[in-house]
Amino acid sequence: MIGILFLIVIAIWLVAAVLLSKRIPRWMGIKKHATVASLLLFPLLLTAPIADELIGSWQFNRLCEREAVVTLRPDWERVKRAQDNDDAITQIDGYVIPISVQRVEFIDADTKQPFLTYKGFHTEGGFLMRHGLGLDGETSCWPKDKTQILNNLNIDQLLKQGK
């Protein structure tokens, strides 16, 4: 049933994009190149509802590649006891879709200096994804080597000793 509704909505939007691409040049008073304007306008109108999703997804993936990394202090081997110092999840500006960042930090319990930090990023997608099409899903990215590094550090044992 959802699939049929989805196809009906796509068909309605396709008809609306055709009609709007024919009428907008006329409404704007374009007479000389109305056909060319209509042909150029059609793909823009057709992709408009998901443009933020396409651009935002590209931005999110670039952000993940660039900033979802583990940073380990060079003298991390000296750490004998650790404490978790997670920051709150905060929204970041400058992106087409809403993106939040979750910064995780482990500090040396003796020196109170951070020795391991990384960031995770979260998004619910573009307008359509946030308003029903995404079925309340969220996309997240974390550093690819995070689990391996945490296991190699034996972070669970360091946290136990830090209590």
Side-chain angles (χ1 to χ4, degrees), residues 59-101:
Q59 287 180 326
F60 182 77
N61 289 331
R62 294 263 331 253
L63 178 67
C64 288
E65 288 173 11
R66 189 176 63 244
E67 293 191 32
V69 294
V70 176
T71 304
L72 192 59
R73 197 170 70 195
D75 64 344
W76 64 269
E77 293 168 325
R78 293 184 183 155
V79 176
K80 302 296 179 217
R81 302 180 317 126
Q83 294 174 337
D84 195 356
N85 193 23
D86 289 353
D87 290 340
I89 296 174
T90 56
Q91 287 291 120
I92 52 178
D93 297 325
Y95 295 93
V96 173
I97 58 176
I99 298 175
S100 56
V101 61

mmCIF file of all heavy atoms in Angstrom, residues 59-101:
data_model
loop_
_atom_site.group_PDB
_atom_site.id
_atom_site.type_symbol
_atom_site.label_atom_id
_atom_site.label_comp_id
_atom_site.label_asym_id
_atom_site.label_seq_id
_atom_site.Cartn_x
_atom_site.Cartn_y
_atom_site.Cartn_z
ATOM 1 N N GLN A 59 27.362 16.557 1.316
ATOM 2 C CA GLN A 59 28.063 17.311 2.352
ATOM 3 C C GLN A 59 28.338 16.440 3.578
ATOM 4 O O GLN A 59 29.421 16.495 4.161
ATOM 5 C CB GLN A 59 27.240 18.533 2.775
ATOM 6 C CG GLN A 59 27.214 19.636 1.766
ATOM 7 C CD GLN A 59 26.379 20.810 2.255
ATOM 8 O OE1 GLN A 59 25.379 20.646 2.946
ATOM 9 N NE2 GLN A 59 26.812 22.015 1.904
ATOM 10 N N PHE A 60 27.345 15.642 3.978
ATOM 11 C CA PHE A 60 27.494 14.773 5.148
ATOM 12 C C PHE A 60 28.622 13.768 4.927
ATOM 13 O O PHE A 60 29.459 13.559 5.813
ATOM 14 C CB PHE A 60 26.169 14.061 5.434
ATOM 15 C CG PHE A 60 26.201 13.177 6.644
ATOM 16 C CD1 PHE A 60 26.140 13.723 7.912
ATOM 17 C CD2 PHE A 60 26.276 11.798 6.509
ATOM 18 C CE1 PHE A 60 26.156 12.906 9.040
ATOM 19 C CE2 PHE A 60 26.293 10.980 7.622
ATOM 20 C CZ PHE A 60 26.239 11.541 8.896
ATOM 21 N N ASN A 61 28.669 13.151 3.759
ATOM 22 C CA ASN A 61 29.717 12.173 3.470
ATOM 23 C C ASN A 61 31.099 12.816 3.455
ATOM 24 O O ASN A 61 32.062 12.227 3.941
ATOM 25 C CB ASN A 61 29.436 11.463 2.147
ATOM 26 C CG ASN A 61 28.256 10.526 2.250
ATOM 27 O OD1 ASN A 61 27.968 9.985 3.308
ATOM 28 N ND2 ASN A 61 27.544 10.345 1.153
ATOM 29 N N ARG A 62 31.197 14.010 2.898
ATOM 30 C CA ARG A 62 32.487 14.730 2.908
ATOM 31 C C ARG A 62 32.924 15.048 4.329
ATOM 32 O O ARG A 62 34.097 14.912 4.684
ATOM 33 C CB ARG A 62 32.385 16.030 2.100
ATOM 34 C CG ARG A 62 32.157 15.881 0.627
ATOM 35 C CD ARG A 62 33.401 15.954 -0.228
ATOM 36 N NE ARG A 62 34.466 16.743 0.285
ATOM 37 C CZ ARG A 62 34.846 17.941 -0.164
ATOM 38 N NH1 ARG A 62 34.220 18.496 -1.163
ATOM 39 N NH2 ARG A 62 35.863 18.570 0.356
ATOM 40 N N LEU A 63 31.967 15.500 5.159
ATOM 41 C CA LEU A 63 32.255 15.818 6.556
ATOM 42 C C LEU A 63 32.753 14.573 7.288
ATOM 43 O O LEU A 63 33.729 14.632 8.041
ATOM 44 C CB LEU A 63 31.005 16.381 7.233
ATOM 45 C CG LEU A 63 31.119 16.725 8.710
ATOM 46 C CD1 LEU A 63 32.073 17.897 8.916
ATOM 47 C CD2 LEU A 63 29.757 17.060 9.285
ATOM 48 N N CYS A 64 32.098 13.460 7.061
ATOM 49 C CA CYS A 64 32.498 12.206 7.710
ATOM 50 C C CYS A 64 33.908 11.791 7.302
ATOM 51 O O CYS A 64 34.718 11.397 8.147
ATOM 52 C CB CYS A 64 31.507 11.098 7.379
ATOM 53 S SG CYS A 64 29.923 11.298 8.207
ATOM 54 N N GLU A 65 34.203 11.874 6.027
ATOM 55 C CA GLU A 65 35.537 11.504 5.547
ATOM 56 C C GLU A 65 36.614 12.398 6.152
ATOM 57 O O GLU A 65 37.697 11.942 6.482
ATOM 58 C CB GLU A 65 35.600 11.609 4.024
ATOM 59 C CG GLU A 65 34.841 10.544 3.292
ATOM 60 C CD GLU A 65 34.791 10.805 1.791
ATOM 61 O OE1 GLU A 65 35.511 11.698 1.298
ATOM 62 O OE2 GLU A 65 34.009 10.116 1.112
ATOM 63 N N ARG A 66 36.297 13.680 6.285
ATOM 64 C CA ARG A 66 37.273 14.662 6.734
ATOM 65 C C ARG A 66 37.438 14.686 8.256
ATOM 66 O O ARG A 66 38.561 14.806 8.748
ATOM 67 C CB ARG A 66 36.851 16.039 6.212
ATOM 68 C CG ARG A 66 37.851 17.136 6.403
ATOM 69 C CD ARG A 66 37.409 18.453 5.781
ATOM 70 N NE ARG A 66 36.205 18.973 6.404
ATOM 71 C CZ ARG A 66 35.030 19.129 5.794
ATOM 72 N NH1 ARG A 66 34.896 18.807 4.524
ATOM 73 N NH2 ARG A 66 33.993 19.618 6.432
ATOM 74 N N GLU A 67 36.334 14.565 9.021
ATOM 75 C CA GLU A 67 36.428 14.841 10.450
ATOM 76 C C GLU A 67 36.085 13.677 11.374
ATOM 77 O O GLU A 67 36.258 13.792 12.583
ATOM 78 C CB GLU A 67 35.535 16.040 10.794
ATOM 79 C CG GLU A 67 36.057 17.320 10.173
ATOM 80 C CD GLU A 67 35.357 18.545 10.722
ATOM 81 O OE1 GLU A 67 34.960 18.537 11.900
ATOM 82 O OE2 GLU A 67 35.223 19.512 9.969
ATOM 83 N N ALA A 68 35.579 12.579 10.858
ATOM 84 C CA ALA A 68 35.290 11.433 11.713
ATOM 85 C C ALA A 68 36.550 10.583 11.831
ATOM 86 O O ALA A 68 36.688 9.533 11.204
ATOM 87 C CB ALA A 68 34.116 10.621 11.167
ATOM 88 N N VAL A 69 37.478 11.068 12.634
ATOM 89 C CA VAL A 69 38.765 10.395 12.823
ATOM 90 C C VAL A 69 39.089 10.324 14.317
ATOM 91 O O VAL A 69 38.617 11.138 15.105
ATOM 92 C CB VAL A 69 39.911 11.131 12.093
ATOM 93 C CG1 VAL A 69 39.725 11.087 10.592
ATOM 94 C CG2 VAL A 69 40.042 12.555 12.565
ATOM 95 N N VAL A 70 39.890 9.340 14.676
ATOM 96 C CA VAL A 70 40.352 9.190 16.050
ATOM 97 C C VAL A 70 41.669 9.943 16.186
ATOM 98 O O VAL A 70 42.569 9.781 15.368
ATOM 99 C CB VAL A 70 40.556 7.700 16.411
ATOM 100 C CG1 VAL A 70 41.138 7.557 17.804
ATOM 101 C CG2 VAL A 70 39.253 6.943 16.281
ATOM 102 N N THR A 71 41.756 10.767 17.232
ATOM 103 C CA THR A 71 43.000 11.474 17.532
ATOM 104 C C THR A 71 43.546 10.900 18.835
ATOM 105 O O THR A 71 42.869 10.925 19.868
ATOM 106 C CB THR A 71 42.750 12.990 17.684
ATOM 107 O OG1 THR A 71 42.129 13.475 16.499
ATOM 108 C CG2 THR A 71 44.051 13.728 17.917
ATOM 109 N N LEU A 72 44.753 10.404 18.780
ATOM 110 C CA LEU A 72 45.391 9.747 19.916
ATOM 111 C C LEU A 72 46.668 10.502 20.266
ATOM 112 O O LEU A 72 47.512 10.743 19.396
ATOM 113 C CB LEU A 72 45.696 8.297 19.533
ATOM 114 C CG LEU A 72 46.095 7.323 20.604
ATOM 115 C CD1 LEU A 72 45.011 7.215 21.667
ATOM 116 C CD2 LEU A 72 46.343 5.952 19.991
ATOM 117 N N ARG A 73 46.793 10.892 21.518
ATOM 118 C CA ARG A 73 47.978 11.621 21.963
ATOM 119 C C ARG A 73 49.209 10.710 21.841
ATOM 120 O O ARG A 73 49.117 9.508 22.107
ATOM 121 C CB ARG A 73 47.769 12.063 23.418
ATOM 122 C CG ARG A 73 48.710 13.156 23.851
ATOM 123 C CD ARG A 73 48.333 13.719 25.183
ATOM 124 N NE ARG A 73 48.598 12.719 26.218
ATOM 125 C CZ ARG A 73 48.138 12.775 27.448
ATOM 126 N NH1 ARG A 73 47.358 13.765 27.808
ATOM 127 N NH2 ARG A 73 48.417 11.845 28.323
ATOM 128 N N PRO A 74 50.349 11.255 21.443
ATOM 129 C CA PRO A 74 51.539 10.420 21.233
ATOM 130 C C PRO A 74 51.972 9.629 22.473
ATOM 131 O O PRO A 74 52.487 8.515 22.345
ATOM 132 C CB PRO A 74 52.632 11.423 20.839
ATOM 133 C CG PRO A 74 51.902 12.613 20.343
ATOM 134 C CD PRO A 74 50.587 12.651 21.058
ATOM 135 N N ASP A 75 51.758 10.171 23.661
ATOM 136 C CA ASP A 75 52.191 9.468 24.874
ATOM 137 C C ASP A 75 51.042 8.696 25.536
ATOM 138 O O ASP A 75 51.022 8.513 26.756
ATOM 139 C CB ASP A 75 52.828 10.436 25.863
ATOM 140 C CG ASP A 75 51.849 11.488 26.367
ATOM 141 O OD1 ASP A 75 50.786 11.668 25.748
ATOM 142 O OD2 ASP A 75 52.152 12.125 27.392
ATOM 143 N N TRP A 76 50.124 8.200 24.736
ATOM 144 C CA TRP A 76 48.953 7.483 25.253
ATOM 145 C C TRP A 76 49.325 6.244 26.052
ATOM 146 O O TRP A 76 48.583 5.814 26.918
ATOM 147 C CB TRP A 76 48.015 7.096 24.115
ATOM 148 C CG TRP A 76 48.610 6.135 23.130
ATOM 149 C CD1 TRP A 76 49.289 6.449 21.998
ATOM 150 C CD2 TRP A 76 48.602 4.710 23.220
ATOM 151 N NE1 TRP A 76 49.704 5.306 21.351
ATOM 152 C CE2 TRP A 76 49.285 4.224 22.095
ATOM 153 C CE3 TRP A 76 48.086 3.800 24.134
ATOM 154 C CZ2 TRP A 76 49.484 2.874 21.859
ATOM 155 C CZ3 TRP A 76 48.267 2.445 23.901
ATOM 156 C CH2 TRP A 76 48.963 1.993 22.764
ATOM 157 N N GLU A 77 50.489 5.663 25.801
ATOM 158 C CA GLU A 77 50.894 4.444 26.502
ATOM 159 C C GLU A 77 51.135 4.668 27.985
ATOM 160 O O GLU A 77 51.117 3.732 28.770
ATOM 161 C CB GLU A 77 52.144 3.861 25.844
ATOM 162 C CG GLU A 77 51.875 3.353 24.434
ATOM 163 C CD GLU A 77 53.143 3.051 23.673
ATOM 164 O OE1 GLU A 77 54.144 3.759 23.867
ATOM 165 O OE2 GLU A 77 53.112 2.108 22.874
ATOM 166 N N ARG A 78 51.335 5.915 28.392
ATOM 167 C CA ARG A 78 51.567 6.232 29.802
ATOM 168 C C ARG A 78 50.272 6.244 30.621
ATOM 169 O O ARG A 78 50.321 6.254 31.838
ATOM 170 C CB ARG A 78 52.234 7.598 29.922
ATOM 171 C CG ARG A 78 53.630 7.627 29.370
ATOM 172 C CD ARG A 78 54.263 8.962 29.617
ATOM 173 N NE ARG A 78 55.584 9.004 29.025
ATOM 174 C CZ ARG A 78 56.185 10.103 28.654
ATOM 175 N NH1 ARG A 78 55.585 11.260 28.794
ATOM 176 N NH2 ARG A 78 57.384 10.053 28.131
ATOM 177 N N VAL A 79 49.142 6.241 29.940
ATOM 178 C CA VAL A 79 47.857 6.317 30.637
ATOM 179 C C VAL A 79 47.581 4.990 31.346
ATOM 180 O O VAL A 79 47.599 3.932 30.733
ATOM 181 C CB VAL A 79 46.710 6.645 29.646
ATOM 182 C CG1 VAL A 79 45.368 6.632 30.357
ATOM 183 C CG2 VAL A 79 46.962 7.987 28.974
ATOM 184 N N LYS A 80 47.328 5.089 32.652
ATOM 185 C CA LYS A 80 47.037 3.899 33.451
ATOM 186 C C LYS A 80 45.569 3.839 33.874
ATOM 187 O O LYS A 80 45.031 2.773 34.098
ATOM 188 C CB LYS A 80 47.913 3.883 34.730
ATOM 189 C CG LYS A 80 49.394 3.922 34.446
ATOM 190 C CD LYS A 80 49.830 2.682 33.697
ATOM 191 C CE LYS A 80 51.323 2.766 33.405
ATOM 192 N NZ LYS A 80 51.680 2.217 32.136
ATOM 193 N N ARG A 81 44.933 5.020 33.983
ATOM 194 C CA ARG A 81 43.525 5.100 34.371
ATOM 195 C C ARG A 81 42.857 6.152 33.489
ATOM 196 O O ARG A 81 43.448 7.192 33.196
ATOM 197 C CB ARG A 81 43.390 5.519 35.839
ATOM 198 C CG ARG A 81 44.099 4.590 36.784
ATOM 199 C CD ARG A 81 44.007 4.962 38.267
ATOM 200 N NE ARG A 81 44.183 6.372 38.537
ATOM 201 C CZ ARG A 81 43.310 7.127 39.224
ATOM 202 N NH1 ARG A 81 42.199 6.596 39.699
ATOM 203 N NH2 ARG A 81 43.543 8.401 39.442
ATOM 204 N N ALA A 82 41.642 5.870 33.069
ATOM 205 C CA ALA A 82 40.952 6.783 32.159
ATOM 206 C C ALA A 82 39.560 7.109 32.667
ATOM 207 O O ALA A 82 38.976 6.365 33.466
ATOM 208 C CB ALA A 82 40.862 6.175 30.769
ATOM 209 N N GLN A 83 39.062 8.232 32.197
ATOM 210 C CA GLN A 83 37.682 8.638 32.461
ATOM 211 C C GLN A 83 37.065 9.106 31.156
ATOM 212 O O GLN A 83 37.742 9.662 30.303
ATOM 213 C CB GLN A 83 37.625 9.762 33.496
ATOM 214 C CG GLN A 83 38.084 9.335 34.863
ATOM 215 C CD GLN A 83 38.160 10.492 35.833
ATOM 216 O OE1 GLN A 83 38.274 11.649 35.432
ATOM 217 N NE2 GLN A 83 38.112 10.171 37.118
ATOM 218 N N ASP A 84 35.759 8.874 31.047
ATOM 219 C CA ASP A 84 35.001 9.264 29.861
ATOM 220 C C ASP A 84 34.527 10.695 30.047
ATOM 221 O O ASP A 84 33.990 11.045 31.091
ATOM 222 C CB ASP A 84 33.803 8.315 29.721
ATOM 223 C CG ASP A 84 33.156 8.389 28.373
ATOM 224 O OD1 ASP A 84 33.578 9.224 27.551
ATOM 225 O OD2 ASP A 84 32.227 7.605 28.132
ATOM 226 N N ASN A 85 34.715 11.525 29.057
ATOM 227 C CA ASN A 85 34.350 12.935 29.153
ATOM 228 C C ASN A 85 33.559 13.345 27.913
ATOM 229 O O ASN A 85 33.967 14.210 27.161
ATOM 230 C CB ASN A 85 35.620 13.785 29.300
ATOM 231 C CG ASN A 85 35.312 15.198 29.714
ATOM 232 O OD1 ASN A 85 34.276 15.465 30.288
ATOM 233 N ND2 ASN A 85 36.234 16.104 29.421
ATOM 234 N N ASP A 86 32.397 12.691 27.696
ATOM 235 C CA ASP A 86 31.593 12.970 26.505
ATOM 236 C C ASP A 86 30.955 14.354 26.577
ATOM 237 O O ASP A 86 30.461 14.769 27.626
ATOM 238 C CB ASP A 86 30.472 11.947 26.348
ATOM 239 C CG ASP A 86 31.003 10.587 25.944
ATOM 240 O OD1 ASP A 86 32.202 10.485 25.665
ATOM 241 O OD2 ASP A 86 30.202 9.643 25.895
ATOM 242 N N ASP A 87 30.944 15.034 25.463
ATOM 243 C CA ASP A 87 30.234 16.309 25.346
ATOM 244 C C ASP A 87 28.818 16.031 24.869
ATOM 245 O O ASP A 87 28.523 14.972 24.325
ATOM 246 C CB ASP A 87 30.931 17.222 24.323
ATOM 247 C CG ASP A 87 32.278 17.723 24.824
ATOM 248 O OD1 ASP A 87 32.514 17.694 26.039
ATOM 249 O OD2 ASP A 87 33.084 18.149 23.978
ATOM 250 N N ALA A 88 27.960 17.002 25.051
ATOM 251 C CA ALA A 88 26.586 16.872 24.564
ATOM 252 C C ALA A 88 26.578 16.891 23.034
ATOM 253 O O ALA A 88 27.482 17.428 22.395
ATOM 254 C CB ALA A 88 25.734 18.010 25.098
ATOM 255 N N ILE A 89 25.539 16.310 22.462
ATOM 256 C CA ILE A 89 25.371 16.344 21.008
ATOM 257 C C ILE A 89 24.893 17.738 20.637
ATOM 258 O O ILE A 89 23.933 18.254 21.217
ATOM 259 C CB ILE A 89 24.360 15.282 20.553
ATOM 260 C CG1 ILE A 89 24.890 13.882 20.869
ATOM 261 C CG2 ILE A 89 24.068 15.418 19.064
ATOM 262 C CD1 ILE A 89 23.911 12.771 20.582
ATOM 263 N N THR A 90 25.576 18.384 19.692
ATOM 264 C CA THR A 90 25.234 19.749 19.295
ATOM 265 C C THR A 90 25.034 19.845 17.791
ATOM 266 O O THR A 90 25.660 19.104 17.020
ATOM 267 C CB THR A 90 26.336 20.747 19.711
ATOM 268 O OG1 THR A 90 27.580 20.327 19.141
ATOM 269 C CG2 THR A 90 26.479 20.818 21.212
ATOM 270 N N GLN A 91 24.163 20.750 17.383
ATOM 271 C CA GLN A 91 23.931 21.021 15.959
ATOM 272 C C GLN A 91 25.105 21.826 15.416
ATOM 273 O O GLN A 91 25.652 22.684 16.110
ATOM 274 C CB GLN A 91 22.648 21.827 15.775
ATOM 275 C CG GLN A 91 21.378 21.047 16.007
ATOM 276 C CD GLN A 91 21.134 20.009 14.944
ATOM 277 O OE1 GLN A 91 21.054 18.848 15.261
ATOM 278 N NE2 GLN A 91 21.034 20.392 13.707
ATOM 279 N N ILE A 92 25.478 21.560 14.177
ATOM 280 C CA ILE A 92 26.503 22.368 13.525
ATOM 281 C C ILE A 92 25.870 23.094 12.350
ATOM 282 O O ILE A 92 24.973 22.580 11.693
ATOM 283 C CB ILE A 92 27.728 21.529 13.094
ATOM 284 C CG1 ILE A 92 27.340 20.301 12.277
ATOM 285 C CG2 ILE A 92 28.510 21.086 14.312
ATOM 286 C CD1 ILE A 92 28.510 19.484 11.806
ATOM 287 N N ASP A 93 26.323 24.296 12.114
ATOM 288 C CA ASP A 93 25.764 25.155 11.075
ATOM 289 C C ASP A 93 26.558 25.043 9.781
ATOM 290 O O ASP A 93 27.671 24.534 9.757
ATOM 291 C CB ASP A 93 25.769 26.611 11.547
ATOM 292 C CG ASP A 93 24.884 26.831 12.754
ATOM 293 O OD1 ASP A 93 23.843 26.169 12.848
ATOM 294 O OD2 ASP A 93 25.246 27.679 13.597
ATOM 295 N N GLY A 94 25.965 25.553 8.715
ATOM 296 C CA GLY A 94 26.660 25.650 7.440
ATOM 297 C C GLY A 94 26.394 24.505 6.485
ATOM 298 O O GLY A 94 27.103 24.369 5.491
ATOM 299 N N TYR A 95 25.391 23.686 6.767
ATOM 300 C CA TYR A 95 25.083 22.560 5.899
ATOM 301 C C TYR A 95 23.632 22.642 5.449
ATOM 302 O O TYR A 95 22.784 23.197 6.139
ATOM 303 C CB TYR A 95 25.357 21.235 6.617
ATOM 304 C CG TYR A 95 26.822 21.062 6.918
ATOM 305 C CD1 TYR A 95 27.355 21.458 8.137
ATOM 306 C CD2 TYR A 95 27.687 20.558 5.958
ATOM 307 C CE1 TYR A 95 28.709 21.341 8.401
ATOM 308 C CE2 TYR A 95 29.033 20.432 6.203
ATOM 309 C CZ TYR A 95 29.546 20.828 7.426
ATOM 310 O OH TYR A 95 30.880 20.719 7.667
ATOM 311 N N VAL A 96 23.330 22.069 4.297
ATOM 312 C CA VAL A 96 21.986 22.123 3.724
ATOM 313 C C VAL A 96 20.987 21.363 4.592
ATOM 314 O O VAL A 96 19.852 21.782 4.759
ATOM 315 C CB VAL A 96 21.999 21.564 2.273
ATOM 316 C CG1 VAL A 96 20.605 21.446 1.710
ATOM 317 C CG2 VAL A 96 22.855 22.452 1.377
ATOM 318 N N ILE A 97 21.406 20.230 5.147
ATOM 319 C CA ILE A 97 20.539 19.444 6.028
ATOM 320 C C ILE A 97 21.051 19.581 7.465
ATOM 321 O O ILE A 97 22.233 19.855 7.682
ATOM 322 C CB ILE A 97 20.498 17.958 5.603
ATOM 323 C CG1 ILE A 97 21.896 17.337 5.600
ATOM 324 C CG2 ILE A 97 19.831 17.791 4.256
ATOM 325 C CD1 ILE A 97 21.938 15.855 5.288
ATOM 326 N N PRO A 98 20.178 19.398 8.445
ATOM 327 C CA PRO A 98 20.632 19.476 9.843
ATOM 328 C C PRO A 98 21.595 18.332 10.173
ATOM 329 O O PRO A 98 21.285 17.170 9.935
ATOM 330 C CB PRO A 98 19.354 19.337 10.663
ATOM 331 C CG PRO A 98 18.225 19.513 9.723
ATOM 332 C CD PRO A 98 18.727 19.211 8.354
ATOM 333 N N ILE A 99 22.743 18.692 10.691
ATOM 334 C CA ILE A 99 23.756 17.710 11.091
ATOM 335 C C ILE A 99 24.166 18.031 12.529
ATOM 336 O O ILE A 99 24.371 19.191 12.871
ATOM 337 C CB ILE A 99 24.992 17.750 10.167
ATOM 338 C CG1 ILE A 99 24.607 17.386 8.732
ATOM 339 C CG2 ILE A 99 26.085 16.818 10.681
ATOM 340 C CD1 ILE A 99 25.737 17.520 7.719
ATOM 341 N N SER A 100 24.275 16.998 13.342
ATOM 342 C CA SER A 100 24.746 17.186 14.708
ATOM 343 C C SER A 100 26.048 16.415 14.894
ATOM 344 O O SER A 100 26.322 15.438 14.201
ATOM 345 C CB SER A 100 23.690 16.749 15.726
ATOM 346 O OG SER A 100 23.313 15.418 15.499
ATOM 347 N N VAL A 101 26.838 16.902 15.839
ATOM 348 C CA VAL A 101 28.133 16.283 16.118
ATOM 349 C C VAL A 101 28.137 15.804 17.561
ATOM 350 O O VAL A 101 27.606 16.461 18.452
ATOM 351 C CB VAL A 101 29.307 17.255 15.847
ATOM 352 C CG1 VAL A 101 29.234 18.482 16.725
ATOM 353 C CG2 VAL A 101 30.652 16.558 16.029
#
